[in-house]
């Protein structure tokens, strides 16, 4: 099972192929098919004709919701740096390496507190909680399992996160000659993000982020 997962919002209906216009309503269906999370964005017409009825009874159904499409800006404002914690989270999820499972979760909690991610849904799989986060600007979905952190693991995970935010993700040892070079000086914006909320994981391991109301 690929537990960690990012899925971008589609720019066109995935049923009829019609491009979404600015401010157009669309429906998202999240399901679980052959051990992968599948996101499907469809226009209102396709939703009404093909999905609305029995959507919840479809095999692997997890959740569905409605959104309003916003055409992406021509050039993203401030493309560098603003979301250091988010870009790190994206890299960690892409790596899909269990050693970063706890760090990914802590990053997601941090981002949620800064309102850069919001909990869209949570569900249980194989006895574990899985959170579905939505990035409120791009509407990308991040699927992140709850690592069930114990209190005595928090310090270690928090320093791992702080280290990653300050120094970035080191390339693997066999990545070539560059890998052995000293780490570049931390970028200015990393400082602010390096403050891992001490209570974030603590509270979350008990209660977890509050699910968005549907
Ligand atoms: Zn359609």
């Amino acid at each position: 099972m690929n537990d960690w997962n990012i899925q971008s919002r589609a720019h066109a209906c995935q049923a009829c192929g019609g491009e979404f216009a600015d401010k157009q309503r669309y429906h998202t269906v999240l399901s679980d098919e052959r051990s992968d999370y599948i996101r499907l964005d469809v226009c209102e017409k396709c939703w009404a004709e093909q999905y609305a009825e029995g959507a919840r009874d479809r095999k692997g159904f997890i959740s569905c919701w409605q959104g309003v499409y916003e055409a992406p800006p021509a050039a993203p404002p401030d493309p560098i740096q603003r979301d250091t914690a988010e870009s790190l989270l994206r890299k960690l999820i892409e790596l899909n390496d269990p050693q970063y499972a706890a760090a990914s979760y802590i990053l997601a909690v941090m981002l949620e507190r800064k309102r850069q991610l919001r909990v869209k849904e949570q569900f249980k799989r194989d006895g574990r909680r899985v959170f579905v986060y939505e990035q409120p600007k791009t509407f990308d979905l991040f699927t992140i399992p709850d690592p069930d952190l114990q209190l005595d693991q928090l310090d270690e995970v928090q320093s791992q996160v702080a280290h990653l935010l300050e120094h970035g993700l080191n390339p693997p040892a066999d990545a070539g000659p560059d890998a052995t070079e000293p780490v570049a000086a931390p970028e200015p914006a990393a400082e602010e993000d390096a403050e891992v909320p001490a209570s974030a994981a603590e509270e979350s391991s008990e209660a977890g982020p509050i699910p968005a109301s549907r």
Side-chain angles (χ1 to χ4, degrees):
M1 179 72 199
N2 193 5
D3 274 328
W4 303 345
N5 172 298
I6 304 179
Q7 295 189 76
S8 301
R9 181 182 54 183
H11 297 292
C13 170
Q14 289 172 282
C16 69
E19 277 189 31
F20 291 139
D22 196 26
K23 310 284 185 249
Q24 180 178 340
R25 283 187 180 281
Y26 65 93
H27 292 259
T28 299
V29 184
L30 185 65
S31 60
D32 157 6
E33 290 170 25
R34 296 198 189 137
S35 78
D36 247 328
Y37 298 122
I38 305 291
R39 171 191 186 149
L40 188 71
D41 294 323
V42 298
C43 69
E44 287 199 289
K45 185 167 179 282
C46 291
W47 168 260
E49 288 173 357
Q50 304 171 35
Y51 296 93
E53 198 176 322
R56 288 165 191 279
D57 303 324
R58 285 160 68 99
K59 195 167 171 289
F61 174 86
I62 294 172
S63 185
C64 62
W65 58 84
Q66 204 183 121
V68 176
Y69 182 80
E70 285 158 25
D78 192 7
I80 327 164
Q81 279 318 313
R82 180 173 274 171
D83 296 320
T84 309
E86 183 185 324
S87 55
L88 176 62
L89 178 61
R90 286 177 183 271
K91 285 180 199 164
L92 293 184
I93 291 177
E94 212 152 275
L95 269 184
N96 204 13
D97 181 340
Q99 69 163 307
Y100 296 121
S104 301
Y105 177 71
I106 295 290
L107 279 168
V109 171
M110 285 170 61
L111 286 163
E112 193 211 347
R113 298 211 155 187
K114 294 164 136 193
R115 297 169 198 274
Q116 291 172 16
L117 283 184
R118 59 187 171 214
V119 176
K120 192 76 187 173
E121 182 61 277
Q122 58 171 302
F123 58 94
K124 281 223 166 189
R125 137 166 327 258
D126 303 332
R128 279 207 299 178
R129 270 194 311 184
V130 179
F131 293 102
V132 179
Y133 290 95
E134 185 181 62
Q135 211 279 14
K137 291 195 185 112
T138 60
F139 296 87
D140 291 347
L141 291 184
F142 296 69
T143 316
I144 297 174
D146 183 348
D148 254 336
L149 277 176
Q150 304 302 308
L151 278 178
D152 59 2
Q153 299 174 293
L154 277 179
D155 278 354
E156 195 188 327
V157 178
Q158 283 173 1
S159 35
Q160 185 187 30
V161 169
H163 186 271
L164 286 168
L165 284 171
E166 192 175 350
H167 301 287
L169 194 59
N170 287 326
D174 60 354
D178 285 350
T180 57
E181 282 178 15
V183 194
E187 292 158 56
E191 283 289 303
E192 182 193 335
D193 282 328
E195 289 171 29
V196 180
S199 61
E202 217 166 296
E203 288 171 19
S204 297
S205 64
E206 284 165 19
I210 302 152
S213 55
R214 282 189 276 146

